[in-house]
PDB file of all heavy atoms in Angstrom:
ATOM      1  N   ASN X  58       6.707  -1.976  29.479  1.00 60.00           N
ATOM      2  CA  ASN X  58       5.951  -2.044  28.205  1.00 60.00           C
ATOM      3  C   ASN X  58       6.816  -2.548  27.043  1.00 60.00           C
ATOM      4  O   ASN X  58       6.618  -2.120  25.909  1.00 60.00           O
ATOM      5  CB  ASN X  58       5.321  -0.710  27.860  1.00 60.00           C
ATOM      6  CG  ASN X  58       4.299  -0.240  28.952  1.00 60.00           C
ATOM      7  OD1 ASN X  58       3.430  -0.966  29.204  1.00 60.00           O
ATOM      8  ND2 ASN X  58       4.561   0.925  29.447  1.00 60.00           N
ATOM      9  N   ILE X  59       7.829  -3.318  27.392  1.00 66.00           N
ATOM     10  CA  ILE X  59       8.784  -3.776  26.386  1.00 66.00           C
ATOM     11  C   ILE X  59       8.155  -4.531  25.249  1.00 66.00           C
ATOM     12  O   ILE X  59       8.495  -4.392  24.064  1.00 66.00           O
ATOM     13  CB  ILE X  59       9.917  -4.613  27.070  1.00 66.00           C
ATOM     14  CG1 ILE X  59      11.039  -4.891  26.093  1.00 66.00           C
ATOM     15  CG2 ILE X  59       9.293  -5.875  27.677  1.00 66.00           C
ATOM     16  CD1 ILE X  59      11.717  -3.704  25.573  1.00 66.00           C
ATOM     17  N   TYR X  60       7.114  -5.304  25.543  1.00 65.00           N
ATOM     18  CA  TYR X  60       6.480  -6.157  24.463  1.00 65.00           C
ATOM     19  C   TYR X  60       5.680  -5.195  23.524  1.00 65.00           C
ATOM     20  O   TYR X  60       5.656  -5.491  22.282  1.00 65.00           O
ATOM     21  CB  TYR X  60       5.521  -7.162  25.105  1.00 65.00           C
ATOM     22  CG  TYR X  60       6.292  -8.141  25.973  1.00 65.00           C
ATOM     23  CD1 TYR X  60       6.191  -8.114  27.357  1.00 65.00           C
ATOM     24  CD2 TYR X  60       7.093  -9.122  25.354  1.00 65.00           C
ATOM     25  CE1 TYR X  60       6.902  -9.026  28.154  1.00 65.00           C
ATOM     26  CE2 TYR X  60       7.759 -10.063  26.140  1.00 65.00           C
ATOM     27  CZ  TYR X  60       7.655 -10.029  27.529  1.00 65.00           C
ATOM     28  OH  TYR X  60       8.332 -10.899  28.279  1.00 65.00           O
ATOM     29  N   LEU X  61       5.084  -4.194  24.037  1.00 65.00           N
ATOM     30  CA  LEU X  61       4.382  -3.254  23.185  1.00 65.00           C
ATOM     31  C   LEU X  61       5.324  -2.590  22.222  1.00 65.00           C
ATOM     32  O   LEU X  61       5.041  -2.385  21.053  1.00 65.00           O
ATOM     33  CB  LEU X  61       3.590  -2.219  24.051  1.00 65.00           C
ATOM     34  CG  LEU X  61       2.853  -1.121  23.278  1.00 65.00           C
ATOM     35  CD1 LEU X  61       1.818  -1.749  22.394  1.00 65.00           C
ATOM     36  CD2 LEU X  61       2.272  -0.135  24.275  1.00 65.00           C
ATOM     37  N   ILE X  62       6.482  -2.131  22.793  1.00 69.00           N
ATOM     38  CA  ILE X  62       7.448  -1.430  21.982  1.00 69.00           C
ATOM     39  C   ILE X  62       8.015  -2.313  20.903  1.00 69.00           C
ATOM     40  O   ILE X  62       8.152  -1.931  19.704  1.00 69.00           O
ATOM     41  CB  ILE X  62       8.553  -0.874  22.879  1.00 69.00           C
ATOM     42  CG1 ILE X  62       7.940   0.200  23.811  1.00 69.00           C
ATOM     43  CG2 ILE X  62       9.695  -0.283  22.058  1.00 69.00           C
ATOM     44  CD1 ILE X  62       8.976   0.604  24.939  1.00 69.00           C
ATOM     45  N   ILE X  63       8.341  -3.528  21.246  1.00 71.00           N
ATOM     46  CA  ILE X  63       8.858  -4.492  20.268  1.00 71.00           C
ATOM     47  C   ILE X  63       7.873  -4.701  19.139  1.00 71.00           C
ATOM     48  O   ILE X  63       8.224  -4.700  17.938  1.00 71.00           O
ATOM     49  CB  ILE X  63       9.236  -5.816  20.950  1.00 71.00           C
ATOM     50  CG1 ILE X  63      10.402  -5.584  21.884  1.00 71.00           C
ATOM     51  CG2 ILE X  63       9.543  -6.864  19.913  1.00 71.00           C
ATOM     52  CD1 ILE X  63      10.777  -6.827  22.718  1.00 71.00           C
ATOM     53  N   GLY X  64       6.566  -4.874  19.467  1.00 68.00           N
ATOM     54  CA  GLY X  64       5.540  -4.989  18.409  1.00 68.00           C
ATOM     55  C   GLY X  64       5.447  -3.881  17.489  1.00 68.00           C
ATOM     56  O   GLY X  64       5.289  -3.987  16.302  1.00 68.00           O
ATOM     57  N   ILE X  65       5.533  -2.669  18.077  1.00 72.00           N
ATOM     58  CA  ILE X  65       5.472  -1.431  17.176  1.00 72.00           C
ATOM     59  C   ILE X  65       6.638  -1.390  16.238  1.00 72.00           C
ATOM     60  O   ILE X  65       6.492  -1.059  15.068  1.00 72.00           O
ATOM     61  CB  ILE X  65       5.401  -0.173  18.097  1.00 72.00           C
ATOM     62  CG1 ILE X  65       4.050  -0.150  18.823  1.00 72.00           C
ATOM     63  CG2 ILE X  65       5.524   1.050  17.220  1.00 72.00           C
ATOM     64  CD1 ILE X  65       3.980   1.007  19.842  1.00 72.00           C
ATOM     65  N   CYS X  66       7.812  -1.697  16.781  1.00 70.00           N
ATOM     66  CA  CYS X  66       8.996  -1.690  15.918  1.00 70.00           C
ATOM     67  C   CYS X  66       8.918  -2.697  14.770  1.00 70.00           C
ATOM     68  O   CYS X  66       9.298  -2.424  13.651  1.00 70.00           O
ATOM     69  CB  CYS X  66      10.233  -1.925  16.795  1.00 70.00           C
ATOM     70  SG  CYS X  66      10.589  -0.596  17.957  1.00 70.00           S
ATOM     71  N   MET X  67       8.468  -3.868  15.124  1.00 71.00           N
ATOM     72  CA  MET X  67       8.383  -4.899  14.078  1.00 71.00           C
ATOM     73  C   MET X  67       7.340  -4.488  13.008  1.00 71.00           C
ATOM     74  O   MET X  67       7.547  -4.737  11.821  1.00 71.00           O
ATOM     75  CB  MET X  67       7.964  -6.270  14.730  1.00 71.00           C
ATOM     76  CG  MET X  67       9.089  -6.891  15.554  1.00 71.00           C
ATOM     77  SD  MET X  67       8.597  -8.444  16.245  1.00 71.00           S
ATOM     78  CE  MET X  67       8.410  -9.383  14.770  1.00 71.00           C
ATOM     79  N   GLY X  68       6.257  -3.886  13.437  1.00 66.00           N
ATOM     80  CA  GLY X  68       5.222  -3.462  12.459  1.00 66.00           C
ATOM     81  C   GLY X  68       5.769  -2.362  11.537  1.00 66.00           C
ATOM     82  O   GLY X  68       5.560  -2.421  10.331  1.00 66.00           O
ATOM     83  N   LEU X  69       6.516  -1.418  12.079  1.00 66.00           N
ATOM     84  CA  LEU X  69       7.095  -0.390  11.208  1.00 66.00           C
ATOM     85  C   LEU X  69       8.106  -0.990  10.216  1.00 66.00           C
ATOM     86  O   LEU X  69       8.179  -0.543   9.104  1.00 66.00           O
ATOM     87  CB  LEU X  69       7.767   0.674  12.095  1.00 66.00           C
ATOM     88  CG  LEU X  69       6.807   1.534  12.971  1.00 66.00           C
ATOM     89  CD1 LEU X  69       7.580   2.444  13.889  1.00 66.00           C
ATOM     90  CD2 LEU X  69       5.902   2.419  12.039  1.00 66.00           C
ATOM     91  N   SER X  70       8.909  -1.953  10.713  1.00 65.00           N
ATOM     92  CA  SER X  70       9.950  -2.549   9.849  1.00 65.00           C
ATOM     93  C   SER X  70       9.234  -3.284   8.692  1.00 65.00           C
ATOM     94  O   SER X  70       9.664  -3.145   7.546  1.00 65.00           O
ATOM     95  CB  SER X  70      10.764  -3.524  10.639  1.00 65.00           C
ATOM     96  OG  SER X  70      11.441  -2.847  11.688  1.00 65.00           O
ATOM     97  N   LEU X  71       8.191  -4.001   8.961  1.00 59.00           N
ATOM     98  CA  LEU X  71       7.493  -4.726   7.937  1.00 59.00           C
ATOM     99  C   LEU X  71       6.848  -3.755   6.931  1.00 59.00           C
ATOM    100  O   LEU X  71       6.813  -4.002   5.693  1.00 59.00           O
ATOM    101  CB  LEU X  71       6.420  -5.679   8.473  1.00 59.00           C
ATOM    102  CG  LEU X  71       6.978  -6.879   9.265  1.00 59.00           C
ATOM    103  CD1 LEU X  71       5.818  -7.629   9.917  1.00 59.00           C
ATOM    104  CD2 LEU X  71       7.734  -7.844   8.264  1.00 59.00           C
ATOM    105  N   SER X  72       6.269  -2.692   7.398  1.00 59.00           N
ATOM    106  CA  SER X  72       5.627  -1.748   6.473  1.00 59.00           C
ATOM    107  C   SER X  72       6.666  -1.125   5.569  1.00 59.00           C
ATOM    108  O   SER X  72       6.340  -0.870   4.362  1.00 59.00           O
ATOM    109  CB  SER X  72       4.893  -0.682   7.315  1.00 59.00           C
ATOM    110  OG  SER X  72       5.815   0.045   8.055  1.00 59.00           O
ATOM    111  N   LEU X  73       7.794  -0.790   6.103  1.00 55.00           N
ATOM    112  CA  LEU X  73       8.857  -0.262   5.238  1.00 55.00           C
ATOM    113  C   LEU X  73       9.362  -1.254   4.175  1.00 55.00           C
ATOM    114  O   LEU X  73       9.634  -0.907   3.100  1.00 55.00           O
ATOM    115  CB  LEU X  73      10.023   0.249   6.104  1.00 55.00           C
ATOM    116  CG  LEU X  73       9.739   1.411   7.038  1.00 55.00           C
ATOM    117  CD1 LEU X  73      10.960   1.701   7.971  1.00 55.00           C
ATOM    118  CD2 LEU X  73       9.451   2.657   6.220  1.00 55.00           C
ATOM    119  N   PHE X  74       9.378  -2.471   4.580  1.00 53.00           N
ATOM    120  CA  PHE X  74       9.862  -3.511   3.626  1.00 53.00           C
ATOM    121  C   PHE X  74       8.920  -3.713   2.423  1.00 53.00           C
ATOM    122  O   PHE X  74       9.314  -3.989   1.328  1.00 53.00           O
ATOM    123  CB  PHE X  74      10.081  -4.843   4.372  1.00 53.00           C
ATOM    124  CG  PHE X  74      10.579  -5.957   3.528  1.00 53.00           C
ATOM    125  CD1 PHE X  74      11.898  -6.016   3.103  1.00 53.00           C
ATOM    126  CD2 PHE X  74       9.650  -6.963   3.135  1.00 53.00           C
ATOM    127  CE1 PHE X  74      12.319  -7.055   2.281  1.00 53.00           C
ATOM    128  CE2 PHE X  74      10.064  -7.982   2.355  1.00 53.00           C
ATOM    129  CZ  PHE X  74      11.391  -8.027   1.909  1.00 53.00           C
ATOM    130  N   LEU X  75       7.630  -3.546   2.679  1.00 52.00           N
ATOM    131  CA  LEU X  75       6.617  -3.833   1.675  1.00 52.00           C
ATOM    132  C   LEU X  75       6.174  -2.615   0.895  1.00 52.00           C
ATOM    133  O   LEU X  75       5.278  -2.689   0.033  1.00 52.00           O
ATOM    134  CB  LEU X  75       5.380  -4.470   2.304  1.00 52.00           C
ATOM    135  CG  LEU X  75       5.597  -5.844   2.931  1.00 52.00           C
ATOM    136  CD1 LEU X  75       4.333  -6.368   3.635  1.00 52.00           C
ATOM    137  CD2 LEU X  75       6.067  -6.919   1.878  1.00 52.00           C
ATOM    138  N   VAL X  76       6.764  -1.514   1.093  1.00 51.00           N
ATOM    139  CA  VAL X  76       6.310  -0.278   0.425  1.00 51.00           C
ATOM    140  C   VAL X  76       6.422  -0.361  -1.101  1.00 51.00           C
ATOM    141  O   VAL X  76       5.493  -0.015  -1.811  1.00 51.00           O
ATOM    142  CB  VAL X  76       7.141   0.883   0.932  1.00 51.00           C
ATOM    143  CG1 VAL X  76       7.067   2.106  -0.021  1.00 51.00           C
ATOM    144  CG2 VAL X  76       6.594   1.334   2.320  1.00 51.00           C
ATOM    145  N   PRO X  77       7.475  -0.797  -1.789  1.00 50.00           N
ATOM    146  CA  PRO X  77       7.531  -0.817  -3.275  1.00 50.00           C
ATOM    147  C   PRO X  77       6.447  -1.635  -3.934  1.00 50.00           C
ATOM    148  O   PRO X  77       5.841  -1.228  -4.860  1.00 50.00           O
ATOM    149  CB  PRO X  77       8.945  -1.373  -3.535  1.00 50.00           C
ATOM    150  CG  PRO X  77       9.702  -1.091  -2.359  1.00 50.00           C
ATOM    151  CD  PRO X  77       8.765  -1.227  -1.166  1.00 50.00           C
ATOM    152  N   VAL X  78       6.158  -2.879  -3.360  1.00 45.00           N
ATOM    153  CA  VAL X  78       5.124  -3.748  -3.921  1.00 45.00           C
ATOM    154  C   VAL X  78       3.747  -3.107  -3.770  1.00 45.00           C
ATOM    155  O   VAL X  78       2.974  -3.076  -4.693  1.00 45.00           O
ATOM    156  CB  VAL X  78       5.183  -5.116  -3.239  1.00 45.00           C
ATOM    157  CG1 VAL X  78       4.051  -5.999  -3.782  1.00 45.00           C
ATOM    158  CG2 VAL X  78       6.534  -5.733  -3.430  1.00 45.00           C
ATOM    159  N   ASN X  79       3.416  -2.645  -2.690  1.00 44.00           N
ATOM    160  CA  ASN X  79       2.102  -2.053  -2.395  1.00 44.00           C
ATOM    161  C   ASN X  79       1.906  -0.797  -3.301  1.00 44.00           C
ATOM    162  O   ASN X  79       0.856  -0.555  -3.781  1.00 44.00           O
ATOM    163  CB  ASN X  79       1.941  -1.677  -0.964  1.00 44.00           C
ATOM    164  CG  ASN X  79       1.848  -2.904  -0.089  1.00 44.00           C
ATOM    165  OD1 ASN X  79       1.502  -4.001  -0.614  1.00 44.00           O
ATOM    166  ND2 ASN X  79       2.135  -2.799   1.218  1.00 44.00           N
ATOM    167  N   ASP X  80       2.956  -0.004  -3.478  1.00 44.00           N
ATOM    168  CA  ASP X  80       2.803   1.162  -4.291  1.00 44.00           C
ATOM    169  C   ASP X  80       2.520   0.842  -5.711  1.00 44.00           C
ATOM    170  O   ASP X  80       1.728   1.486  -6.395  1.00 44.00           O
ATOM    171  CB  ASP X  80       4.068   2.037  -4.170  1.00 44.00           C
ATOM    172  CG  ASP X  80       4.213   2.742  -2.831  1.00 44.00           C
ATOM    173  OD1 ASP X  80       3.183   2.754  -2.065  1.00 44.00           O
ATOM    174  OD2 ASP X  80       5.351   3.148  -2.503  1.00 44.00           O
ATOM    175  N   PHE X  81       3.171  -0.228  -6.293  1.00 40.00           N
ATOM    176  CA  PHE X  81       2.955  -0.666  -7.675  1.00 40.00           C
ATOM    177  C   PHE X  81       1.512  -1.125  -7.875  1.00 40.00           C
ATOM    178  O   PHE X  81       0.871  -0.751  -8.847  1.00 40.00           O
ATOM    179  CB  PHE X  81       3.971  -1.719  -7.989  1.00 40.00           C
ATOM    180  CG  PHE X  81       3.788  -2.293  -9.362  1.00 40.00           C
ATOM    181  CD1 PHE X  81       4.228  -1.520 -10.465  1.00 40.00           C
ATOM    182  CD2 PHE X  81       3.162  -3.503  -9.603  1.00 40.00           C
ATOM    183  CE1 PHE X  81       4.091  -2.019 -11.750  1.00 40.00           C
ATOM    184  CE2 PHE X  81       3.034  -3.971 -10.899  1.00 40.00           C
ATOM    185  CZ  PHE X  81       3.463  -3.217 -11.930  1.00 40.00           C
ATOM    186  N   GLU X  82       1.028  -1.908  -6.936  1.00 44.00           N
ATOM    187  CA  GLU X  82      -0.312  -2.391  -7.055  1.00 44.00           C
ATOM    188  C   GLU X  82      -1.331  -1.205  -6.965  1.00 44.00           C
ATOM    189  O   GLU X  82      -2.311  -1.145  -7.651  1.00 44.00           O
ATOM    190  CB  GLU X  82      -0.639  -3.431  -5.972  1.00 44.00           C
ATOM    191  CG  GLU X  82       0.087  -4.727  -6.208  1.00 44.00           C
ATOM    192  CD  GLU X  82      -0.204  -5.751  -5.126  1.00 44.00           C
ATOM    193  OE1 GLU X  82      -0.882  -5.354  -4.135  1.00 44.00           O
ATOM    194  OE2 GLU X  82       0.188  -6.890  -5.208  1.00 44.00           O
ATOM    195  N   ASN X  83      -1.070  -0.293  -6.035  1.00 45.00           N
ATOM    196  CA  ASN X  83      -1.959   0.829  -5.911  1.00 45.00           C
ATOM    197  C   ASN X  83      -1.929   1.683  -7.171  1.00 45.00           C
ATOM    198  O   ASN X  83      -2.958   2.217  -7.587  1.00 45.00           O
ATOM    199  CB  ASN X  83      -1.524   1.700  -4.727  1.00 45.00           C
ATOM    200  CG  ASN X  83      -1.822   0.960  -3.413  1.00 45.00           C
ATOM    201  OD1 ASN X  83      -2.704   0.076  -3.380  1.00 45.00           O
ATOM    202  ND2 ASN X  83      -1.091   1.306  -2.328  1.00 45.00           N
ATOM    203  N   GLU X  84      -0.770   1.780  -7.820  1.00 45.00           N
ATOM    204  CA  GLU X  84      -0.720   2.573  -9.060  1.00 45.00           C
ATOM    205  C   GLU X  84      -1.594   1.957 -10.111  1.00 45.00           C
ATOM    206  O   GLU X  84      -2.275   2.636 -10.861  1.00 45.00           O
ATOM    207  CB  GLU X  84       0.774   2.729  -9.496  1.00 45.00           C
ATOM    208  CG  GLU X  84       1.579   3.604  -8.636  1.00 45.00           C
ATOM    209  CD  GLU X  84       3.030   3.666  -9.076  1.00 45.00           C
ATOM    210  OE1 GLU X  84       3.298   3.030 -10.097  1.00 45.00           O
ATOM    211  OE2 GLU X  84       3.788   4.344  -8.471  1.00 45.00           O
ATOM    212  N   GLU X  85      -1.444   0.629 -10.254  1.00 44.00           N
ATOM    213  CA  GLU X  85      -2.313  -0.060 -11.241  1.00 44.00           C
ATOM    214  C   GLU X  85      -3.802   0.105 -10.938  1.00 44.00           C
ATOM    215  O   GLU X  85      -4.580   0.402 -11.847  1.00 44.00           O
ATOM    216  CB  GLU X  85      -1.965  -1.581 -11.259  1.00 44.00           C
ATOM    217  CG  GLU X  85      -0.690  -1.849 -11.943  1.00 44.00           C
ATOM    218  CD  GLU X  85      -0.511  -3.311 -12.106  1.00 44.00           C
ATOM    219  OE1 GLU X  85      -1.183  -4.082 -11.415  1.00 44.00           O
ATOM    220  OE2 GLU X  85       0.330  -3.790 -12.896  1.00 44.00           O
ATOM    221  N   LYS X  86      -4.151  -0.042  -9.748  1.00 44.00           N
ATOM    222  CA  LYS X  86      -5.524   0.139  -9.341  1.00 44.00           C
ATOM    223  C   LYS X  86      -5.981   1.589  -9.585  1.00 44.00           C
ATOM    224  O   LYS X  86      -7.080   1.810 -10.133  1.00 44.00           O
ATOM    225  CB  LYS X  86      -5.746  -0.152  -7.855  1.00 44.00           C
ATOM    226  CG  LYS X  86      -5.594  -1.670  -7.547  1.00 44.00           C
ATOM    227  CD  LYS X  86      -5.741  -1.965  -6.071  1.00 44.00           C
ATOM    228  CE  LYS X  86      -5.526  -3.437  -5.802  1.00 44.00           C
ATOM    229  NZ  LYS X  86      -5.674  -3.723  -4.339  1.00 44.00           N
ATOM    230  N   MET X  87      -5.203   2.502  -9.281  1.00 44.00           N
ATOM    231  CA  MET X  87      -5.578   3.881  -9.511  1.00 44.00           C
ATOM    232  C   MET X  87      -5.663   4.165 -11.005  1.00 44.00           C
ATOM    233  O   MET X  87      -6.589   4.917 -11.413  1.00 44.00           O
ATOM    234  CB  MET X  87      -4.497   4.846  -8.860  1.00 44.00           C
ATOM    235  CG  MET X  87      -4.489   4.784  -7.338  1.00 44.00           C
ATOM    236  SD  MET X  87      -6.110   5.285  -6.591  1.00 44.00           S
ATOM    237  CE  MET X  87      -6.092   7.034  -7.115  1.00 44.00           C
ATOM    238  N   GLU X  88      -4.810   3.603 -11.728  1.00 46.00           N
ATOM    239  CA  GLU X  88      -4.888   3.845 -13.216  1.00 46.00           C
ATOM    240  C   GLU X  88      -6.154   3.246 -13.790  1.00 46.00           C
ATOM    241  O   GLU X  88      -6.815   3.815 -14.610  1.00 46.00           O
ATOM    242  CB  GLU X  88      -3.632   3.244 -13.852  1.00 46.00           C
ATOM    243  CG  GLU X  88      -3.598   3.488 -15.402  1.00 46.00           C
ATOM    244  CD  GLU X  88      -2.365   2.878 -16.040  1.00 46.00           C
ATOM    245  OE1 GLU X  88      -1.579   2.283 -15.278  1.00 46.00           O
ATOM    246  OE2 GLU X  88      -2.260   2.998 -17.290  1.00 46.00           O
ATOM    247  N   TYR X  89      -6.507   2.019 -13.376  1.00 41.00           N
ATOM    248  CA  TYR X  89      -7.678   1.331 -13.826  1.00 41.00           C
ATOM    249  C   TYR X  89      -8.922   2.106 -13.426  1.00 41.00           C
ATOM    250  O   TYR X  89      -9.840   2.315 -14.248  1.00 41.00           O
ATOM    251  CB  TYR X  89      -7.776  -0.076 -13.256  1.00 41.00           C
ATOM    252  CG  TYR X  89      -9.002  -0.829 -13.605  1.00 41.00           C
ATOM    253  CD1 TYR X  89      -9.159  -1.287 -14.924  1.00 41.00           C
ATOM    254  CD2 TYR X  89      -9.945  -1.138 -12.695  1.00 41.00           C
ATOM    255  CE1 TYR X  89     -10.294  -1.984 -15.328  1.00 41.00           C
ATOM    256  CE2 TYR X  89     -11.132  -1.842 -13.048  1.00 41.00           C
ATOM    257  CZ  TYR X  89     -11.313  -2.260 -14.335  1.00 41.00           C
ATOM    258  OH  TYR X  89     -12.390  -2.946 -14.667  1.00 41.00           O
ATOM    259  N   VAL X  90      -8.977   2.612 -12.171  1.00 43.00           N
ATOM    260  CA  VAL X  90     -10.130   3.424 -11.714  1.00 43.00           C
ATOM    261  C   VAL X  90     -10.189   4.669 -12.511  1.00 43.00           C
ATOM    262  O   VAL X  90     -11.242   5.157 -12.876  1.00 43.00           O
ATOM    263  CB  VAL X  90     -10.003   3.675 -10.163  1.00 43.00           C
ATOM    264  CG1 VAL X  90     -11.028   4.695  -9.714  1.00 43.00           C
ATOM    265  CG2 VAL X  90     -10.100   2.392  -9.418  1.00 43.00           C
ATOM    266  N   SER X  91      -9.017   5.303 -12.798  1.00 45.00           N
ATOM    267  CA  SER X  91      -8.982   6.521 -13.581  1.00 45.00           C
ATOM    268  C   SER X  91      -9.542   6.312 -14.969  1.00 45.00           C
ATOM    269  O   SER X  91     -10.297   7.101 -15.496  1.00 45.00           O
ATOM    270  CB  SER X  91      -7.594   7.059 -13.666  1.00 45.00           C
ATOM    271  OG  SER X  91      -7.522   8.214 -14.450  1.00 45.00           O
ATOM    272  N   GLN X  92      -9.189   5.167 -15.626  1.00 45.00           N
ATOM    273  CA  GLN X  92      -9.702   4.863 -16.889  1.00 45.00           C
ATOM    274  C   GLN X  92     -11.268   4.731 -16.833  1.00 45.00           C
ATOM    275  O   GLN X  92     -11.955   5.143 -17.736  1.00 45.00           O
ATOM    276  CB  GLN X  92      -9.049   3.612 -17.485  1.00 45.00           C
ATOM    277  CG  GLN X  92      -7.613   3.861 -17.849  1.00 45.00           C
ATOM    278  CD  GLN X  92      -6.983   2.546 -18.324  1.00 45.00           C
ATOM    279  OE1 GLN X  92      -7.598   1.508 -18.322  1.00 45.00           O
ATOM    280  NE2 GLN X  92      -5.717   2.655 -18.741  1.00 45.00           N
ATOM    281  N   LEU X  93     -11.724   3.973 -15.861  1.00 42.00           N
ATOM    282  CA  LEU X  93     -13.182   3.761 -15.762  1.00 42.00           C
ATOM    283  C   LEU X  93     -13.878   5.085 -15.569  1.00 42.00           C
ATOM    284  O   LEU X  93     -14.954   5.333 -16.154  1.00 42.00           O
ATOM    285  CB  LEU X  93     -13.476   2.816 -14.580  1.00 42.00           C
ATOM    286  CG  LEU X  93     -13.125   1.383 -14.816  1.00 42.00           C
ATOM    287  CD1 LEU X  93     -13.471   0.566 -13.508  1.00 42.00           C
ATOM    288  CD2 LEU X  93     -13.863   0.756 -15.971  1.00 42.00           C
ATOM    289  N   SER X  94     -13.332   5.906 -14.771  1.00 46.00           N
ATOM    290  CA  SER X  94     -13.943   7.230 -14.486  1.00 46.00           C
ATOM    291  C   SER X  94     -13.962   8.034 -15.764  1.00 46.00           C
ATOM    292  O   SER X  94     -14.928   8.714 -16.152  1.00 46.00           O
ATOM    293  CB  SER X  94     -13.186   7.965 -13.416  1.00 46.00           C
ATOM    294  OG  SER X  94     -13.166   7.219 -12.212  1.00 46.00           O
ATOM    295  N   HIS X  95     -12.867   8.013 -16.538  1.00 46.00           N
ATOM    296  CA  HIS X  95     -12.783   8.727 -17.778  1.00 46.00           C
ATOM    297  C   HIS X  95     -13.824   8.243 -18.749  1.00 46.00           C
ATOM    298  O   HIS X  95     -14.491   9.035 -19.424  1.00 46.00           O
ATOM    299  CB  HIS X  95     -11.397   8.669 -18.361  1.00 46.00           C
ATOM    300  CG  HIS X  95     -11.194   9.413 -19.653  1.00 46.00           C
ATOM    301  ND1 HIS X  95     -11.157  10.804 -19.689  1.00 46.00           N
ATOM    302  CD2 HIS X  95     -11.128   8.908 -20.881  1.00 46.00           C
ATOM    303  CE1 HIS X  95     -11.056  11.144 -21.003  1.00 46.00           C
ATOM    304  NE2 HIS X  95     -11.010   9.952 -21.706  1.00 46.00           N
ATOM    305  N   THR X  96     -13.943   6.889 -18.894  1.00 45.00           N
ATOM    306  CA  THR X  96     -14.885   6.312 -19.821  1.00 45.00           C
ATOM    307  C   THR X  96     -16.329   6.667 -19.418  1.00 45.00           C
ATOM    308  O   THR X  96     -17.186   7.023 -20.246  1.00 45.00           O
ATOM    309  CB  THR X  96     -14.715   4.804 -19.877  1.00 45.00           C
ATOM    310  OG1 THR X  96     -13.378   4.478 -20.228  1.00 45.00           O
ATOM    311  CG2 THR X  96     -15.632   4.179 -20.870  1.00 45.00           C
ATOM    312  N   HIS X  97     -16.621   6.594 -18.143  1.00 46.00           N
ATOM    313  CA  HIS X  97     -17.951   6.903 -17.659  1.00 46.00           C
ATOM    314  C   HIS X  97     -18.310   8.344 -17.875  1.00 46.00           C
ATOM    315  O   HIS X  97     -19.442   8.637 -18.237  1.00 46.00           O
ATOM    316  CB  HIS X  97     -17.985   6.562 -16.129  1.00 46.00           C
ATOM    317  CG  HIS X  97     -19.302   6.872 -15.535  1.00 46.00           C
ATOM    318  ND1 HIS X  97     -20.429   6.105 -15.758  1.00 46.00           N
ATOM    319  CD2 HIS X  97     -19.690   7.937 -14.692  1.00 46.00           C
ATOM    320  CE1 HIS X  97     -21.448   6.657 -15.127  1.00 46.00           C
ATOM    321  NE2 HIS X  97     -21.023   7.738 -14.479  1.00 46.00           N
ATOM    322  N   GLU X  98     -17.295   9.218 -17.781  1.00 48.00           N
ATOM    323  CA  GLU X  98     -17.575  10.620 -17.984  1.00 48.00           C
ATOM    324  C   GLU X  98     -17.779  10.929 -19.485  1.00 48.00           C
ATOM    325  O   GLU X  98     -18.519  11.790 -19.864  1.00 48.00           O
ATOM    326  CB  GLU X  98     -16.476  11.436 -17.423  1.00 48.00           C
ATOM    327  CG  GLU X  98     -16.373  11.409 -15.889  1.00 48.00           C
ATOM    328  CD  GLU X  98     -15.142  12.134 -15.362  1.00 48.00           C
ATOM    329  OE1 GLU X  98     -14.376  12.637 -16.190  1.00 48.00           O
ATOM    330  OE2 GLU X  98     -14.948  12.162 -14.097  1.00 48.00           O
TER     331      GLU X  98
END
């Protein structure tokens, strides 16, 4: 199952590499959603 293992390893490596960018975008989205929720309430 060497090919399966290699694929899992590569996927984990890419996810770790993209963590800072994704977290920043998610923070902006969460902040925008929070503002909308606050205004709506």
Side-chain angles (χ1 to χ4, degrees):
N58 297 305
I59 187 64
Y60 296 106
L61 177 61
I62 295 171
I63 293 173
I65 292 172
C66 292
M67 291 181 65
L69 292 173
S70 300
L71 288 174
S72 63
L73 293 174
F74 178 76
L75 295 176
V76 162
V78 178
N79 290 341
D80 287 344
F81 177 76
E82 290 180 354
N83 289 337
E84 289 177 1
E85 285 187 342
K86 292 179 181 178
M87 291 300 293
E88 182 180 0
Y89 178 70
V90 172
S91 176
Q92 290 178 356
L93 288 179
S94 301
H95 178 74
T96 303
H97 178 73
E98 293 173 358

